[in-house]
Amino acid sequence: MALPKLATRSWAVRRALAGREPFRTYGAFRAAAGGPASRGRLPDEWWAKIRDVPDGRIGYTVYSYVTPIAWVLDDGTVVIPPVRYSLTTTGHQGLLYALNQNPDTFPDDVRRTRAWTRPQPGSWDWPRAAAFADANGATGHVPSPRAPGAGPPARVSAPEDRSRPAQGTESVLDRIRKALAEADAQPPEELYFEGPETLLGAPDLAYSEAWTG
């Protein structure tokens, strides 16, 4: 019978370790009855110690990937080699403290539930604001399926009609046109000559035919 998979850092894994129960996880952390079935990355000195143990004395082995990172002898002795591995295996080694605990020390895992239920298609029947327009065409309060105590719903206002000019715009344009017309009706100011009298009456070369021609 296949073992059920447990979450690696769940309380169920800790209880299994404390009770010397075989388990597997969704990752690379697992435990099995009996001695190590593989060496993995276990250093030579620790692999030699395992081989020196008489057959049948190791009753429980914990693995990270295929490397035995802890084992329990038949007299209850827990052996955890102080060897550093990858970051993932280091996290697995951090759970081995449960081997020296009582299974009742750890609580049951609480299954997480959704705080809200996803609505089904068509379950939200939102009324149209146009159905609640008053006599002037403005919309009022629109009822909606709000939670109790959520306060009054927002007031929906009628969209602004931008096709009409804002109030007072035409009078401003009229004043501008009137001011321009008055400026055109005014005669030009007289020009006065400032300079030597010998140049009085001399043609302006910039506007004379001889200069421009």
Side-chain angles (χ1 to χ4, degrees):
M1 182 177 178
L3 297 174
K5 288 186 177 181
L6 306 176
T8 300
R9 296 190 174 278
S10 64
W11 295 117
V13 165
R14 292 171 170 85
R15 287 197 303 273
L17 289 170
R20 315 292 195 263
E21 298 175 1
F23 67 88
R24 61 175 182 163
T25 64
Y26 293 96
F29 193 46
R30 63 186 179 90
S38 61
R39 174 182 175 180
R41 295 181 177 273
L42 190 67
D44 295 339
E45 58 175 314
W46 284 100
W47 182 246
K49 291 180 180 180
I50 288 178
R51 299 186 65 178
D52 291 339
V53 176
D55 293 340
R57 285 214 59 193
I58 300 179
Y60 187 72
T61 304
V62 184
Y63 299 87
S64 178
Y65 297 97
V66 294
T67 302
I69 58 175
W71 51 90
V72 182
L73 302 180
D74 54 1
D75 60 357
T77 303
V78 177
V79 181
I80 303 176
V83 182
R84 297 185 63 179
Y85 296 100
S86 65
L87 184 62
T88 301
T89 300
T90 300
H92 297 161
Q93 289 173 313
L95 298 172
L96 298 179
Y97 75 95
L99 291 170
N100 294 312
Q101 302 293 326
N102 189 291
D104 296 335
T105 305
F106 306 103
D108 294 332
D109 292 287
V110 179
R111 185 175 181 181
R112 296 181 180 180
T113 58
R114 291 182 180 271
W116 60 282
T117 303
R118 186 182 300 276
Q120 299 298 322
S123 62
W124 289 359
D125 186 15
W126 295 96
R128 294 183 178 275
F132 302 92
D134 57 20
N136 298 325
T139 56
H141 292 290
V142 181
S144 60
R146 298 170 63 86
R155 184 177 180 85
V156 181
S157 303
E160 181 182 356
D161 186 5
R162 298 183 179 275
S163 61
R164 298 176 298 176
Q167 184 177 4
T169 303
E170 295 181 357
S171 60
V172 172
L173 295 177
D174 291 340
R175 289 198 299 269
I176 294 175
R177 296 191 188 97
K178 184 178 179 181
L180 292 175
E182 292 178 354
D184 292 340
Q186 295 292 333
E189 297 182 1
E190 296 183 2
L191 301 179
Y192 297 93
F193 177 77
E194 295 182 359
E197 295 183 358
T198 55
L199 298 179
L200 185 61
D204 189 346
L205 296 179
Y207 298 96
S208 64
E209 295 182 359
W211 180 266
T212 58

